[in-house]
Amino acid sequence: MKKTIVAPGLLAAKVSDLGSAIARVEQAGAQYLHIDVMDGHFAPNFSFGPNIVEGLRGMSKMFFDVHLIIDNPELFTPMFIKAGADCITVHAEAKGDIEEVRKICRESGKGFGVSVNPNTPVEDFEHLYSDCDLLLIMSIEPGYGGQKFFPASLDKIAKAKEIRERLGASYLISVDGGVTLENAVQCVAAGADVLVAGGAVFNAEDPDAVITEIMNM
């Protein structure tokens, strides 16, 4: 039976104890670490820079999915790859050259992902999906953790799966925002392969149990 990939969202971890936080989720079986990068322009918040990614890289063997929630991601992709990213995920709606990001990722042997915001029909950017490794469905507005999951995201997950089958593509479908144990089941049923769980994991009394339960959905 195929296991769901759990990607704890670093934004929800305690900044004063990032090393211990990611060590615990990795030991619990989390395969991915989702690292949100915001610069206050495309999304109304600030978060991690390449120095943080570089510092954590030496502490973990998890797959680092670096989510660039920024405009002009092509300018910053090389530095995050150098810092240790395994995949660069960029927003379809962002200003800049997404094709250049794809090129840089391919030349570097790294994964390339595309993310779409809640109000963006997933089919609007279908032309980007044939050669991407990850399609990230935002189930909240990007910027801040702790928001409630948008139920309409379930239809978008199903649509992403339909598009994948029609294109003969192989991207993983990831869901980011407001993921809980309750809606995680629905996400997986709709076709999600990867669940980004921030507060659900890092704020849980027993993160190990949460990760195990999601993995086995």
Side-chain angles (χ1 to χ4, degrees):
M1 179 179 174
K2 183 180 177 181
K3 290 185 178 291
T4 303
I5 297 172
V6 182
L10 191 64
L11 196 63
K14 291 183 179 180
V15 177
S16 60
D17 200 23
L18 290 181
S20 296
I22 69 168
R24 181 169 184 181
V25 298
E26 184 169 12
Q27 187 175 12
Q31 298 153 283
Y32 282 32
L33 184 67
H34 187 88
I35 305 172
D36 288 313
V37 175
M38 296 176 278
D39 63 359
H41 295 286
F42 184 78
N45 198 0
F46 296 88
S47 60
F48 309 107
N51 59 323
I52 300 297
V53 175
E54 183 177 13
L56 296 177
R57 180 74 280 175
M59 303 179 182
S60 174
K61 294 181 179 179
M62 281 189 289
F63 186 92
F64 280 14
D65 176 24
V66 175
H67 181 192
L68 298 183
I69 315 174
I70 62 176
D71 284 324
N72 304 117
E74 72 279 6
L75 302 179
F76 302 91
T77 293
M79 64 180 72
F80 279 99
I81 288 177
K82 182 178 180 181
D86 292 299
C87 179
I88 298 292
T89 297
V90 298
H91 274 263
E93 309 90 349
K95 297 176 182 177
D97 190 343
I98 292 180
E99 289 298 332
E100 181 64 16
V101 175
R102 186 206 309 267
K103 179 183 176 183
I104 295 169
C105 288
R106 294 298 179 233
E107 290 177 348
S108 303
K110 303 299 181 181
F112 167 70
V114 177
S115 179
V116 291
N117 278 337
N119 292 325
T120 300
V122 70
E123 56 269 30
D124 280 9
F125 291 95
E126 191 173 317
H127 61 283
L128 296 174
Y129 305 154
S130 293
D131 186 32
C132 76
D133 302 294
L134 190 80
L135 177 52
L136 177 63
I137 305 297
M138 289 299 302
S139 44
I140 61 170
E141 291 293 344
Y144 295 92
Q147 300 179 58
K148 297 293 184 181
F149 179 88
F150 292 170
S153 303
L154 297 172
D155 290 334
K156 293 181 69 173
I157 296 166
K159 185 66 177 180
K161 182 179 179 181
E162 175 191 318
I163 292 172
R164 180 174 64 188
E165 293 171 355
R166 176 160 47 79
L167 294 177
S170 58
Y171 56 76
L172 295 175
I173 299 170
S174 181
V175 183
D176 180 10
V179 172
T180 64
L181 287 176
E182 290 71 30
N183 59 44
V185 176
Q186 298 172 295
C187 291
V188 172
D193 305 294
V194 183
L195 294 182
V196 178
V201 170
F202 286 115
N203 296 335
E205 291 185 10
D206 189 353
D208 301 41
V210 173
I211 290 171
T212 298
E213 187 168 345
I214 294 176
M215 286 176 60
N216 292 311
M217 288 180 175

mmCIF file of all heavy atoms in Angstrom, residues 10-11 15 18 33 35-39 45-57 64 66-70 76-85 88:
data_model
loop_
_atom_site.group_PDB
_atom_site.id
_atom_site.type_symbol
_atom_site.label_atom_id
_atom_site.label_comp_id
_atom_site.label_asym_id
_atom_site.label_seq_id
_atom_site.Cartn_x
_atom_site.Cartn_y
_atom_site.Cartn_z
ATOM 1 N N LEU A 10 7.778 23.948 8.024
ATOM 2 C CA LEU A 10 8.727 24.520 8.970
ATOM 3 C C LEU A 10 8.226 25.824 9.593
ATOM 4 O O LEU A 10 8.623 26.175 10.703
ATOM 5 C CB LEU A 10 10.072 24.753 8.281
ATOM 6 C CG LEU A 10 11.254 25.109 9.180
ATOM 7 C CD1 LEU A 10 11.595 23.956 10.123
ATOM 8 C CD2 LEU A 10 12.477 25.473 8.338
ATOM 9 N N LEU A 11 7.349 26.530 8.902
ATOM 10 C CA LEU A 11 6.854 27.814 9.393
ATOM 11 C C LEU A 11 6.175 27.681 10.754
ATOM 12 O O LEU A 11 6.137 28.631 11.533
ATOM 13 C CB LEU A 11 5.876 28.416 8.378
ATOM 14 C CG LEU A 11 5.536 29.901 8.511
ATOM 15 C CD1 LEU A 11 6.782 30.761 8.317
ATOM 16 C CD2 LEU A 11 4.455 30.295 7.509
ATOM 17 N N VAL A 15 11.045 28.682 16.237
ATOM 18 C CA VAL A 15 12.287 29.166 15.640
ATOM 19 C C VAL A 15 13.478 28.947 16.568
ATOM 20 O O VAL A 15 14.597 28.714 16.122
ATOM 21 C CB VAL A 15 12.156 30.662 15.265
ATOM 22 C CG1 VAL A 15 13.462 31.199 14.702
ATOM 23 C CG2 VAL A 15 11.034 30.853 14.252
ATOM 24 N N LEU A 18 14.661 24.925 15.982
ATOM 25 C CA LEU A 18 14.413 24.305 14.688
ATOM 26 C C LEU A 18 15.129 22.964 14.532
ATOM 27 O O LEU A 18 14.568 22.015 13.989
ATOM 28 C CB LEU A 18 14.843 25.246 13.557
ATOM 29 C CG LEU A 18 14.003 26.506 13.343
ATOM 30 C CD1 LEU A 18 14.558 27.297 12.164
ATOM 31 C CD2 LEU A 18 12.545 26.151 13.108
ATOM 32 N N LEU A 33 10.512 17.953 4.134
ATOM 33 C CA LEU A 33 10.407 19.144 4.974
ATOM 34 C C LEU A 33 10.007 20.281 4.043
ATOM 35 O O LEU A 33 10.687 20.563 3.055
ATOM 36 C CB LEU A 33 11.733 19.474 5.656
ATOM 37 C CG LEU A 33 11.671 20.662 6.646
ATOM 38 C CD1 LEU A 33 10.812 20.300 7.856
ATOM 39 C CD2 LEU A 33 13.073 21.062 7.104
ATOM 40 N N ILE A 35 9.603 24.045 3.303
ATOM 41 C CA ILE A 35 10.219 25.283 3.777
ATOM 42 C C ILE A 35 9.658 26.471 2.990
ATOM 43 O O ILE A 35 9.954 26.650 1.812
ATOM 44 C CB ILE A 35 11.752 25.222 3.629
ATOM 45 C CG1 ILE A 35 12.304 23.983 4.350
ATOM 46 C CG2 ILE A 35 12.392 26.493 4.171
ATOM 47 C CD1 ILE A 35 13.782 23.722 4.105
ATOM 48 N N ASP A 36 8.825 27.266 3.641
ATOM 49 C CA ASP A 36 8.222 28.432 3.004
ATOM 50 C C ASP A 36 9.191 29.605 3.010
ATOM 51 O O ASP A 36 9.757 29.950 4.055
ATOM 52 C CB ASP A 36 6.942 28.844 3.739
ATOM 53 C CG ASP A 36 5.804 27.873 3.507
ATOM 54 O OD1 ASP A 36 5.577 27.496 2.346
ATOM 55 O OD2 ASP A 36 5.148 27.485 4.488
ATOM 56 N N VAL A 37 9.339 30.225 1.858
ATOM 57 C CA VAL A 37 10.196 31.404 1.726
ATOM 58 C C VAL A 37 9.330 32.569 1.249
ATOM 59 O O VAL A 37 8.750 32.520 0.163
ATOM 60 C CB VAL A 37 11.341 31.155 0.722
ATOM 61 C CG1 VAL A 37 12.147 32.429 0.501
ATOM 62 C CG2 VAL A 37 12.240 30.022 1.223
ATOM 63 N N MET A 38 9.213 33.605 2.078
ATOM 64 C CA MET A 38 8.403 34.777 1.733
ATOM 65 C C MET A 38 9.226 36.044 1.927
ATOM 66 O O MET A 38 10.034 36.125 2.842
ATOM 67 C CB MET A 38 7.151 34.819 2.620
ATOM 68 C CG MET A 38 6.214 33.646 2.404
ATOM 69 S SD MET A 38 4.799 33.637 3.537
ATOM 70 C CE MET A 38 5.543 32.894 4.991
ATOM 71 N N ASP A 39 8.982 37.012 1.049
ATOM 72 C CA ASP A 39 9.773 38.247 1.098
ATOM 73 C C ASP A 39 8.925 39.491 1.347
ATOM 74 O O ASP A 39 9.398 40.614 1.195
ATOM 75 C CB ASP A 39 10.573 38.419 -0.192
ATOM 76 C CG ASP A 39 9.685 38.567 -1.429
ATOM 77 O OD1 ASP A 39 8.440 38.508 -1.276
ATOM 78 O OD2 ASP A 39 10.223 38.749 -2.536
ATOM 79 N N ASN A 45 4.187 38.404 4.292
ATOM 80 C CA ASN A 45 4.916 37.906 5.460
ATOM 81 C C ASN A 45 6.371 37.712 5.063
ATOM 82 O O ASN A 45 6.727 37.766 3.890
ATOM 83 C CB ASN A 45 4.311 36.585 5.948
ATOM 84 C CG ASN A 45 4.715 36.245 7.377
ATOM 85 O OD1 ASN A 45 5.453 36.982 8.024
ATOM 86 N ND2 ASN A 45 4.240 35.117 7.867
ATOM 87 N N PHE A 46 7.218 37.490 6.053
ATOM 88 C CA PHE A 46 8.625 37.188 5.835
ATOM 89 C C PHE A 46 8.935 35.855 6.499
ATOM 90 O O PHE A 46 8.314 35.486 7.496
ATOM 91 C CB PHE A 46 9.525 38.270 6.439
ATOM 92 C CG PHE A 46 9.370 39.615 5.798
ATOM 93 C CD1 PHE A 46 8.411 40.515 6.242
ATOM 94 C CD2 PHE A 46 10.187 39.989 4.740
ATOM 95 C CE1 PHE A 46 8.257 41.762 5.652
ATOM 96 C CE2 PHE A 46 10.049 41.238 4.138
ATOM 97 C CZ PHE A 46 9.086 42.122 4.600
ATOM 98 N N SER A 47 9.900 35.134 5.949
ATOM 99 C CA SER A 47 10.257 33.868 6.610
ATOM 100 C C SER A 47 11.722 33.535 6.366
ATOM 101 O O SER A 47 12.583 34.396 6.528
ATOM 102 C CB SER A 47 9.334 32.734 6.150
ATOM 103 O OG SER A 47 9.445 32.541 4.756
ATOM 104 N N PHE A 48 12.000 32.320 5.935
ATOM 105 C CA PHE A 48 13.359 31.798 5.927
ATOM 106 C C PHE A 48 14.167 32.175 4.685
ATOM 107 O O PHE A 48 13.640 32.198 3.577
ATOM 108 C CB PHE A 48 13.311 30.273 6.053
ATOM 109 C CG PHE A 48 12.469 29.793 7.204
ATOM 110 C CD1 PHE A 48 11.231 29.209 6.974
ATOM 111 C CD2 PHE A 48 12.888 29.968 8.511
ATOM 112 C CE1 PHE A 48 10.432 28.775 8.030
ATOM 113 C CE2 PHE A 48 12.098 29.545 9.575
ATOM 114 C CZ PHE A 48 10.863 28.948 9.333
ATOM 115 N N GLY A 49 15.449 32.403 4.908
ATOM 116 C CA GLY A 49 16.371 32.680 3.811
ATOM 117 C C GLY A 49 17.268 31.483 3.554
ATOM 118 O O GLY A 49 17.203 30.470 4.255
ATOM 119 N N PRO A 50 18.138 31.562 2.551
ATOM 120 C CA PRO A 50 19.017 30.436 2.226
ATOM 121 C C PRO A 50 19.962 30.055 3.355
ATOM 122 O O PRO A 50 20.390 28.901 3.440
ATOM 123 C CB PRO A 50 19.782 30.931 0.985
ATOM 124 C CG PRO A 50 19.603 32.411 0.969
ATOM 125 C CD PRO A 50 18.284 32.679 1.614
ATOM 126 N N ASN A 51 20.289 31.004 4.230
ATOM 127 C CA ASN A 51 21.178 30.664 5.352
ATOM 128 C C ASN A 51 20.524 29.658 6.294
ATOM 129 O O ASN A 51 21.199 28.775 6.846
ATOM 130 C CB ASN A 51 21.574 31.924 6.121
ATOM 131 C CG ASN A 51 20.391 32.678 6.681
ATOM 132 O OD1 ASN A 51 19.333 32.759 6.051
ATOM 133 N ND2 ASN A 51 20.540 33.257 7.854
ATOM 134 N N ILE A 52 19.210 29.762 6.469
ATOM 135 C CA ILE A 52 18.492 28.798 7.316
ATOM 136 C C ILE A 52 18.479 27.431 6.652
ATOM 137 O O ILE A 52 18.714 26.402 7.302
ATOM 138 C CB ILE A 52 17.043 29.272 7.581
ATOM 139 C CG1 ILE A 52 17.049 30.624 8.299
ATOM 140 C CG2 ILE A 52 16.283 28.226 8.390
ATOM 141 C CD1 ILE A 52 17.676 30.601 9.669
ATOM 142 N N VAL A 53 18.204 27.408 5.361
ATOM 143 C CA VAL A 53 18.195 26.139 4.621
ATOM 144 C C VAL A 53 19.563 25.476 4.706
ATOM 145 O O VAL A 53 19.679 24.269 4.971
ATOM 146 C CB VAL A 53 17.808 26.373 3.143
ATOM 147 C CG1 VAL A 53 17.913 25.075 2.348
ATOM 148 C CG2 VAL A 53 16.393 26.937 3.048
ATOM 149 N N GLU A 54 20.600 26.257 4.530
ATOM 150 C CA GLU A 54 21.967 25.721 4.596
ATOM 151 C C GLU A 54 22.270 25.169 5.981
ATOM 152 O O GLU A 54 22.878 24.100 6.126
ATOM 153 C CB GLU A 54 22.968 26.807 4.230
ATOM 154 C CG GLU A 54 24.411 26.322 4.203
ATOM 155 C CD GLU A 54 25.375 27.408 3.773
ATOM 156 O OE1 GLU A 54 24.981 28.592 3.736
ATOM 157 O OE2 GLU A 54 26.542 27.078 3.480
ATOM 158 N N GLY A 55 21.837 25.891 7.010
ATOM 159 C CA GLY A 55 22.097 25.426 8.364
ATOM 160 C C GLY A 55 21.373 24.134 8.701
ATOM 161 O O GLY A 55 21.921 23.251 9.379
ATOM 162 N N LEU A 56 20.140 23.996 8.206
ATOM 163 C CA LEU A 56 19.356 22.792 8.483
ATOM 164 C C LEU A 56 19.786 21.614 7.628
ATOM 165 O O LEU A 56 19.598 20.459 8.027
ATOM 166 C CB LEU A 56 17.870 23.076 8.256
ATOM 167 C CG LEU A 56 17.224 24.111 9.182
ATOM 168 C CD1 LEU A 56 15.772 24.332 8.792
ATOM 169 C CD2 LEU A 56 17.328 23.670 10.639
ATOM 170 N N ARG A 57 20.339 21.908 6.458
ATOM 171 C CA ARG A 57 20.720 20.843 5.532
ATOM 172 C C ARG A 57 21.687 19.842 6.173
ATOM 173 O O ARG A 57 21.572 18.622 5.968
ATOM 174 C CB ARG A 57 21.357 21.449 4.274
ATOM 175 C CG ARG A 57 21.804 20.446 3.211
ATOM 176 C CD ARG A 57 20.631 19.843 2.457
ATOM 177 N NE ARG A 57 19.953 18.771 3.180
ATOM 178 C CZ ARG A 57 18.833 18.161 2.739
ATOM 179 N NH1 ARG A 57 18.283 18.546 1.596
ATOM 180 N NH2 ARG A 57 18.290 17.201 3.442
ATOM 181 N N PHE A 64 14.128 18.342 1.027
ATOM 182 C CA PHE A 64 13.801 19.743 1.283
ATOM 183 C C PHE A 64 13.039 20.333 0.097
ATOM 184 O O PHE A 64 13.619 20.580 -0.967
ATOM 185 C CB PHE A 64 15.070 20.560 1.518
ATOM 186 C CG PHE A 64 15.660 20.442 2.904
ATOM 187 C CD1 PHE A 64 15.256 19.444 3.787
ATOM 188 C CD2 PHE A 64 16.634 21.346 3.335
ATOM 189 C CE1 PHE A 64 15.807 19.343 5.067
ATOM 190 C CE2 PHE A 64 17.193 21.254 4.604
ATOM 191 C CZ PHE A 64 16.778 20.248 5.475
ATOM 192 N N VAL A 66 11.603 23.500 -1.061
ATOM 193 C CA VAL A 66 11.663 24.932 -0.773
ATOM 194 C C VAL A 66 10.608 25.636 -1.611
ATOM 195 O O VAL A 66 10.672 25.662 -2.846
ATOM 196 C CB VAL A 66 13.072 25.501 -1.056
ATOM 197 C CG1 VAL A 66 13.086 27.011 -0.864
ATOM 198 C CG2 VAL A 66 14.092 24.846 -0.116
ATOM 199 N N HIS A 67 9.632 26.210 -0.937
ATOM 200 C CA HIS A 67 8.456 26.830 -1.560
ATOM 201 C C HIS A 67 8.689 28.331 -1.639
ATOM 202 O O HIS A 67 8.566 29.038 -0.641
ATOM 203 C CB HIS A 67 7.234 26.475 -0.696
ATOM 204 C CG HIS A 67 5.946 27.011 -1.201
ATOM 205 N ND1 HIS A 67 4.806 27.001 -0.424
ATOM 206 C CD2 HIS A 67 5.592 27.563 -2.386
ATOM 207 C CE1 HIS A 67 3.811 27.534 -1.116
ATOM 208 N NE2 HIS A 67 4.263 27.882 -2.299
ATOM 209 N N LEU A 68 9.033 28.803 -2.818
ATOM 210 C CA LEU A 68 9.329 30.217 -3.011
ATOM 211 C C LEU A 68 8.026 30.986 -3.253
ATOM 212 O O LEU A 68 7.507 31.016 -4.375
ATOM 213 C CB LEU A 68 10.294 30.416 -4.180
ATOM 214 C CG LEU A 68 11.676 29.767 -4.041
ATOM 215 C CD1 LEU A 68 12.548 30.115 -5.243
ATOM 216 C CD2 LEU A 68 12.362 30.192 -2.748
ATOM 217 N N ILE A 69 7.514 31.609 -2.216
ATOM 218 C CA ILE A 69 6.279 32.385 -2.304
ATOM 219 C C ILE A 69 6.686 33.837 -2.557
ATOM 220 O O ILE A 69 6.462 34.741 -1.748
ATOM 221 C CB ILE A 69 5.446 32.236 -1.012
ATOM 222 C CG1 ILE A 69 5.399 30.768 -0.579
ATOM 223 C CG2 ILE A 69 4.022 32.750 -1.210
ATOM 224 C CD1 ILE A 69 4.723 30.534 0.764
ATOM 225 N N ILE A 70 7.312 34.032 -3.706
ATOM 226 C CA ILE A 70 7.936 35.319 -4.015
ATOM 227 C C ILE A 70 7.795 35.624 -5.506
ATOM 228 O O ILE A 70 7.564 34.731 -6.324
ATOM 229 C CB ILE A 70 9.432 35.326 -3.655
ATOM 230 C CG1 ILE A 70 10.190 34.272 -4.466
ATOM 231 C CG2 ILE A 70 9.633 35.083 -2.166
ATOM 232 C CD1 ILE A 70 11.694 34.261 -4.253
ATOM 233 N N PHE A 76 16.425 33.882 -7.274
ATOM 234 C CA PHE A 76 16.787 33.311 -5.979
ATOM 235 C C PHE A 76 16.940 31.790 -6.002
ATOM 236 O O PHE A 76 17.484 31.208 -5.067
ATOM 237 C CB PHE A 76 15.737 33.707 -4.936
ATOM 238 C CG PHE A 76 15.580 35.189 -4.795
ATOM 239 C CD1 PHE A 76 14.650 35.892 -5.551
ATOM 240 C CD2 PHE A 76 16.396 35.901 -3.927
ATOM 241 C CE1 PHE A 76 14.523 37.271 -5.444
ATOM 242 C CE2 PHE A 76 16.283 37.275 -3.812
ATOM 243 C CZ PHE A 76 15.344 37.967 -4.578
ATOM 244 N N THR A 77 16.486 31.171 -7.080
ATOM 245 C CA THR A 77 16.574 29.713 -7.179
ATOM 246 C C THR A 77 18.000 29.192 -7.020
ATOM 247 O O THR A 77 18.227 28.243 -6.252
ATOM 248 C CB THR A 77 15.961 29.241 -8.515
ATOM 249 O OG1 THR A 77 14.545 29.507 -8.494
ATOM 250 C CG2 THR A 77 16.188 27.767 -8.742
ATOM 251 N N PRO A 78 18.998 29.768 -7.699
ATOM 252 C CA PRO A 78 20.358 29.227 -7.568
ATOM 253 C C PRO A 78 20.876 29.224 -6.127
ATOM 254 O O PRO A 78 21.527 28.268 -5.694
ATOM 255 C CB PRO A 78 21.199 30.152 -8.455
ATOM 256 C CG PRO A 78 20.236 30.665 -9.472
ATOM 257 C CD PRO A 78 18.956 30.852 -8.711
ATOM 258 N N MET A 79 20.586 30.288 -5.366
ATOM 259 C CA MET A 79 21.127 30.345 -4.006
ATOM 260 C C MET A 79 20.453 29.328 -3.089
ATOM 261 O O MET A 79 21.094 28.779 -2.187
ATOM 262 C CB MET A 79 21.042 31.765 -3.444
ATOM 263 C CG MET A 79 19.657 32.326 -3.267
ATOM 264 S SD MET A 79 19.691 34.044 -2.597
ATOM 265 C CE MET A 79 20.299 34.948 -4.035
ATOM 266 N N PHE A 80 19.166 29.045 -3.320
ATOM 267 C CA PHE A 80 18.499 28.045 -2.488
ATOM 268 C C PHE A 80 18.930 26.627 -2.869
ATOM 269 O O PHE A 80 19.021 25.754 -2.008
ATOM 270 C CB PHE A 80 16.986 28.198 -2.567
ATOM 271 C CG PHE A 80 16.462 29.284 -1.664
ATOM 272 C CD1 PHE A 80 16.160 30.538 -2.161
ATOM 273 C CD2 PHE A 80 16.320 29.054 -0.297
ATOM 274 C CE1 PHE A 80 15.702 31.547 -1.323
ATOM 275 C CE2 PHE A 80 15.873 30.058 0.554
ATOM 276 C CZ PHE A 80 15.556 31.304 0.044
ATOM 277 N N ILE A 81 19.211 26.414 -4.137
ATOM 278 C CA ILE A 81 19.752 25.117 -4.546
ATOM 279 C C ILE A 81 21.135 24.920 -3.927
ATOM 280 O O ILE A 81 21.453 23.855 -3.393
ATOM 281 C CB ILE A 81 19.814 25.013 -6.080
ATOM 282 C CG1 ILE A 81 18.392 24.857 -6.642
ATOM 283 C CG2 ILE A 81 20.699 23.848 -6.513
ATOM 284 C CD1 ILE A 81 18.325 24.816 -8.150
ATOM 285 N N LYS A 82 21.945 25.953 -3.988
ATOM 286 C CA LYS A 82 23.279 25.873 -3.380
ATOM 287 C C LYS A 82 23.179 25.618 -1.881
ATOM 288 O O LYS A 82 24.013 24.913 -1.295
ATOM 289 C CB LYS A 82 24.048 27.170 -3.643
ATOM 290 C CG LYS A 82 25.470 27.153 -3.094
ATOM 291 C CD LYS A 82 26.204 28.462 -3.426
ATOM 292 C CE LYS A 82 27.621 28.433 -2.875
ATOM 293 N NZ LYS A 82 28.347 29.711 -3.162
ATOM 294 N N ALA A 83 22.148 26.163 -1.241
ATOM 295 C CA ALA A 83 21.978 26.004 0.205
ATOM 296 C C ALA A 83 21.525 24.603 0.590
ATOM 297 O O ALA A 83 21.662 24.210 1.751
ATOM 298 C CB ALA A 83 20.970 27.026 0.721
ATOM 299 N N GLY A 84 20.967 23.855 -0.376
ATOM 300 C CA GLY A 84 20.588 22.484 -0.063
ATOM 301 C C GLY A 84 19.189 22.057 -0.425
ATOM 302 O O GLY A 84 18.740 20.984 -0.032
ATOM 303 N N ALA A 85 18.463 22.875 -1.215
ATOM 304 C CA ALA A 85 17.105 22.493 -1.617
ATOM 305 C C ALA A 85 17.147 21.272 -2.533
ATOM 306 O O ALA A 85 18.022 21.150 -3.389
ATOM 307 C CB ALA A 85 16.430 23.656 -2.339
ATOM 308 N N ILE A 88 12.556 23.017 -5.885
ATOM 309 C CA ILE A 88 12.135 24.410 -5.818
ATOM 310 C C ILE A 88 10.709 24.484 -6.358
ATOM 311 O O ILE A 88 10.449 24.112 -7.506
ATOM 312 C CB ILE A 88 13.045 25.325 -6.663
ATOM 313 C CG1 ILE A 88 14.497 25.297 -6.147
ATOM 314 C CG2 ILE A 88 12.497 26.745 -6.671
ATOM 315 C CD1 ILE A 88 14.707 25.925 -4.789
#
